[in-house]
Amino acid sequence: LLQAASDFVHYPGPHSDDSSRDFLNRFPLPVIINALQTQLDVPGLENTLVACLERLFNTKLGASLIPQYMPFVQVGLQADSQAVRSLACKTVTSLLENACLIKIYPLLLDCLINGNEQVAAVATDAIKKLAGFPEGMEIIFPIIASQCSSLGRVRVLALVVKLFSVSRSAASTIYSLNLLQLLEAEIRNADDTLVTLSVLELIYELAEIEHGTEFLSKTSIFQLLSSMISHNSMESILRSRAMMISGRLLSKVKAVISSIDGRLSDRDECETALESLGHMGSSIQGATLLLSPAARHVINAAFERQGHGKQLAALHALGNISGETRSELNAEEEENLRRLIYETASRSSKLTPSGLFLSVLQQDSEIRLAGYRMLSGLVARPWCLMEICSKQEIINKVTDETTKIGMEGRYNCCKAIHKSLTVSSRVSANPAFAGIAAKFQEAVGMGPYLVKREAQPAVITADRF
């Protein structure tokens, strides 16, 4: 049996029903199951038989036999062997349309909570697929997390998040059963930092789900995140993660923005705060909310040389807010953006936005790359285009970048400027800008890696030998 099972496992390619039938004619399922339960002292037998059954049940013939052996599946879900429990969970996944699965759901949940990492993952997949059926949704809730260990609670909460993503209907059921309150309870009980971090990661996953914000906005999670960010006694790593999640999730909540804004004065956390504001600014709604008043701090930090990391995060945030990755803002927010940049320039030694832009482009390649992103977003505005064109040093810098790390950023910036030069009526009607437009057209034509300027090899191949 061991040799035959090993050959079956290592057979290249998928098995046909004929090859599965041949194997089962030699070794019927009761024989294999009995060996799996009684011959554990034979080296390698358990793992080989588990792998053999997994391949067998993946065939049409093998799957058709599983309903006859549901007692074995139920026993397998409670086995001491993690390999057998994993096999039983996978077997359940192939039988989700069978009504008898309702009886084994509690066993799947036990595998999720108490199994090893592999078993928990397979059990989660099985329950998630079970939730895709109307009858499945009726049996898998409510889930009791309070009676689990900390690891078990996190696994149950992770299951809630996965089920939340199945469909809007599943999300609605989860919300109506108050299961999102389990997440809130864990955030309130922040005694275990690792558990709290894990829960924050799960909320971040919820923020990625299409219908996530709709339901989360009905909970107190927004307020809890705001409180966590504002709490000076909270561990810095928790506040930082809460800010990042808020940047993704809470673009419409002014209280959270105010809390993040308050962290900008903290030297250790200002970079995370700026990055989270950048996440908010990547959406039109978030940018609209930020442009009064929080964007003032982003813009100030973008042009202040008070710390490399802080300035870098602020430049990328300003790139998001100004629309490097999306369409323009409405007239009111556009005016706020223009006014804030001109006010920042007037208070600086550079006096003009063009002076601020040039000072960024004269710094190291990492800062310069963030500066290209910022200008790529800002240059769609006529006022910014005129500021760029008024400074020959900016034109030279953007078109003549040769540092490898900045080449693609420079190229994207050239494309954005060239596009604005092409569509701007003020520029196209002014012959003084013809030379500038031609220079950017040439830069765009050479591509991101300046193919026309590539150095020729100084030594021919034959000279190397």
Side-chain angles (χ1 to χ4, degrees), residues 145-160:
S146 59
Q147 300 174 1
C148 306
S149 64
S150 59
L151 175 60
R153 293 201 311 275
V154 171
R155 285 179 173 179
V156 169
L157 293 174
L159 173 63
V160 169

Side-chain angles (χ1 to χ4, degrees), residues 291-357:
L291 281 166
S292 181
R296 180 186 306 276
H297 299 291
V298 175
I299 293 170
N300 287 341
F303 300 111
E304 286 179 358
R305 301 172 85 162
Q306 298 296 320
H308 185 276
K310 179 179 179 180
Q311 184 179 16
L312 185 63
L315 285 168
H316 281 297
L318 182 53
N320 286 345
I321 294 169
S322 63
E324 189 264 345
T325 57
R326 53 153 175 76
S327 57
E328 296 182 18
L329 305 164
N330 65 35
E332 182 179 354
E333 279 74 47
E334 287 290 352
E335 176 55 29
N336 283 341
L337 178 62
R338 187 198 66 80
R339 176 177 52 79
L340 288 171
I341 289 180
Y342 273 94
E343 286 179 358
T344 299
S346 68
R347 293 193 302 270
S348 73
S349 61
K350 307 302 180 182
L351 301 178
T352 64
S354 60
L356 294 179
F357 301 156

Side-chain angles (χ1 to χ4, degrees), residues 4 104 125 150 204 346 375 412 414 439:
I104 63 174
D125 289 340
S150 59
Y204 193 88
S346 68
L375 290 180
N412 291 333
C414 283
K439 186 162 187 175

Side-chain angles (χ1 to χ4, degrees), residues 250-293:
L250 308 174
S251 61
K252 295 183 180 180
V253 182
K254 291 184 178 181
V256 174
I257 291 179
S258 178
S259 298
I260 295 176
D261 193 34
R263 306 313 311 177
L264 291 172
S265 59
D266 189 310
R267 185 172 61 183
D268 295 329
E269 299 175 8
C270 64
E271 292 178 29
T272 303
L274 288 165
E275 190 175 349
S276 67
L277 294 177
H279 280 302
M280 288 187 190
S282 62
S283 69
I284 291 179
Q285 297 89 341
T288 298
L289 199 60
L290 284 173
L291 281 166
S292 181

